[in-house]
């Protein structure tokens, strides 16, 4: 049975559900078999980083303790790795002994983001459950003494069981009072539902999955629907850029040809341009070929020759004169 009061367990479970979605955000091609994609992304998204190095000629990804003497910008220079499965315990240089992958430019990861929003969701869920319980109580019965309370409980039990109850003394009427129930239940539950949808929308927008959380109770115009598009891409672009830059170093160091790109629904929705990483492909503008319209041939009218009737000459008979 689901325990809405077990907040820590519920938050951890909701974090797991979100990570199950985001682990398919990126897809790798030609990644070594010793570095499973799911485990590699899990390290990046939960710890914020992963260090790839060779152990006995095989590449592995590790997390550990970042430290050492900070560089000029205050960044760590070493990592302490302890892996019992491989029997590998060593302090390595981040610059010389492998390649450090980071989830984002600040090496935060997605887990703190999920932790924040899912904590708010868990608290709001408790409020909705309590609201549901309160709506069951239309009237509150109060009793002045134990005897009256026992009589009132017996009366309520018989009513719940569907039995007719009889009150045998006036003391029950004198000691029992009815208090008003809950107020505007429909309005308060509507606010809780809107708040729940707002938190979910904010969380999904952070990972590049656009969900509109406009609170208008009317239809939305297309401009209001499209206005969130520019705000959901920067973080996931930064995540992809960090992976591509680290892969460039890894490929050069170990002679590999690993590539990464957005996967799943992110590959369908997001744009295909990232500053300094993906070159801008200018659209090919094909010349507009004007259709050749051939002039219609001029058809001259056919003039039928006029055939004039042939007039045969009239030959009059020659009349001979007398005496000839």
């Amino acid at each position: 049975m689901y325990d809405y009061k077990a907040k820590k367990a519920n938050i951890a479970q909701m974090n797991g559900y979100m990570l199950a979605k985001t682990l398919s955000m990126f897809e790798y091609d030609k990644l070594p078999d010793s570095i499973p994609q799911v485990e590699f992304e899990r390290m990046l998204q939960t710890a914020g980083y992963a260090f790839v190095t060779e152990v006995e000629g095989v590449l592995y990804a590790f997390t550990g303790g970042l430290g050492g003497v900070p560089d000029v910008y205050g960044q760590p220079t070493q990592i302490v790795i302890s892996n019992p499965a491989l029997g590998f315990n060593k302090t390595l240089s981040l610059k010389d002994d492998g390649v450090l992958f980071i989830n984002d430019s600040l090496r935060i990861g997605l887990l703190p983001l999920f932790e924040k929003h899912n904590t708010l969701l868990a608290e709001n869920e408790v409020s909705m459950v309590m609201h549901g319980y309160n709506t069951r109580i239309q009237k509150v019965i109060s009793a002045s003494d134990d005897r009256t309370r026992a009589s009132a409980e017996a009366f309520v039990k018989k009513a719940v069981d569907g039995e007719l109850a009889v009150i045998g003394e006036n003391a029950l009427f004198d000691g029992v009072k009815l208090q008003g129930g809950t107020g505007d239940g429909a309005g308060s539950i509507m606010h809780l539902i809107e708040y729940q949808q707002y938190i979910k929308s904010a969380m999904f927008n952070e990972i590049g999955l656009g969900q509109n959380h406009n609170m208008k109770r009317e239809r939305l115009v297309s401009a209001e629907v499209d206005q969130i598009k520019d705000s959901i891409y920067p973080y996931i672009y930064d995540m992809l850029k960090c992976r591509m830059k680290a892969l460039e170093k890894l490929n050069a160091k170990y002679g590999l040809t690993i590539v990464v790109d957005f996967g799943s629904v992110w590959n369908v929705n997001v744009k295909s341009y990232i500053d300094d990483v993906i070159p801008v492909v200018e659209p090919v503008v094909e010349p507009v070929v004007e259709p050749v319209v051939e002039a219609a041939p001029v058809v001259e009218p056919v003039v039928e020759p006029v055939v004039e009737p042939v007039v045969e000459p009239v030959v009059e008979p020659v009349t001979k004169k007398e005496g000839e």
Side-chain angles (χ1 to χ4, degrees):
M1 183 177 178
Y2 179 71
D3 185 6
Y4 68 94
K5 293 179 290 185
K7 297 179 183 179
K8 290 185 178 180
N10 295 337
I11 293 170
Q13 187 180 60
M14 288 188 285
N15 291 341
Y17 279 127
M18 288 303 301
L19 287 171
K21 298 180 178 72
T22 57
L23 288 179
S24 62
M25 183 185 295
F26 300 100
E27 292 182 353
Y28 296 82
D29 187 26
K30 300 181 181 179
L31 193 67
D33 295 337
S34 56
I35 306 178
Q37 176 176 316
V38 173
E39 294 298 327
F40 186 54
E41 278 297 320
R42 183 184 58 81
M43 293 180 186
L44 289 172
Q45 296 182 20
T46 56
Y49 71 95
F51 187 72
V52 178
T53 187
E54 278 188 334
V55 178
E56 298 181 356
V58 181
L59 285 175
Y60 292 97
F62 300 100
T63 58
L66 297 176
V69 179
D71 64 8
V72 65
Y73 297 106
Q75 298 299 320
T77 57
Q78 293 180 340
I79 182 172
V80 179
I81 298 175
S82 177
N83 189 286
L86 297 176
F88 185 72
N89 301 277
K90 201 170 183 180
T91 300
L92 302 177
S93 170
L94 296 178
K95 182 179 180 181
D96 301 326
D97 296 330
V99 177
L100 179 67
F101 283 74
I102 56 177
N103 181 74
D104 47 79
S105 296
L106 294 181
R107 206 169 63 246
I108 299 175
L110 292 178
L111 191 57
L113 178 70
F114 296 154
E115 190 84 17
K116 168 192 171 183
H117 289 88
N118 287 329
T119 298
L120 297 177
L121 288 174
E123 293 292 343
N124 192 62
E125 189 176 67
V126 173
S127 299
M128 288 193 292
V129 172
M130 295 305 298
H131 181 275
Y133 288 159
N134 289 333
T135 55
R136 300 180 185 179
I137 305 174
Q138 300 299 324
K139 296 293 182 181
V140 178
I141 301 176
S142 62
S144 58
D145 53 67
D146 293 340
R147 181 179 178 183
T148 306
R149 175 183 175 182
S151 300
E153 289 177 349
F155 178 81
V156 171
K157 183 178 184 305
K158 289 183 177 295
V160 172
D161 295 338
E163 300 178 7
L164 296 177
V166 178
I167 299 175
E169 55 182 334
N170 293 331
L172 179 61
F173 291 104
D174 297 335
V176 170
K177 296 181 181 179
L178 293 179
Q179 310 296 331
T182 57
D184 183 14
S188 57
I189 190 61
M190 183 62 68
H191 293 315
L192 292 175
I193 293 174
E194 289 178 350
Y195 183 50
Q196 187 89 352
Q197 294 302 318
Y198 170 78
I199 299 172
K200 286 186 177 181
S201 298
M203 178 168 56
F204 279 106
N205 288 342
E206 290 287 349
I207 59 174
L209 299 178
Q211 283 197 357
N212 197 294
H213 53 261
N214 196 308
M215 294 301 178
K216 285 175 58 178
R217 290 181 174 85
E218 303 173 5
R219 65 179 183 274
L220 302 178
V221 298
S222 58
E224 293 171 329
V225 176
D226 295 338
Q227 67 182 354
I228 64 171
K229 289 185 178 179
D230 292 335
S231 63
I232 66 177
Y233 294 137
Y235 185 60
I236 61 173
Y237 279 173
D238 181 65
M239 292 173 64
L240 179 59
K241 180 190 291 187
C242 292
R243 285 161 172 78
M244 296 181 75
K245 287 185 175 180
L247 280 178
E248 184 179 352
K249 297 178 182 179
L250 187 69
N251 291 337
K253 187 176 183 66
Y254 296 104
L256 303 174
T257 57
I258 306 172
V259 294
V260 64
D261 198 357
F262 286 116
S264 186
V265 68
W266 288 271
N267 192 31
V268 178
N269 294 338
V270 300
K271 304 172 185 176
S272 60
Y273 172 72
I274 300 177
D275 296 338
D276 304 327
V277 178
I278 298 180
V280 179
V281 180
E282 296 293 340
V284 178
V285 180
E286 298 182 356
V288 179
V289 179
E290 297 290 340
V292 178
V293 180
E294 297 181 355
V298 179
V299 180
E300 297 182 355
V302 179
V303 180
E304 297 290 339
V306 180
V307 180
E308 297 180 357
V310 179
V311 181
E312 297 290 337
V314 178
V315 180
E316 295 181 356
V318 180
T319 308
K320 293 183 179 183
K321 295 180 181 182
E322 294 182 1
E324 292 183 357

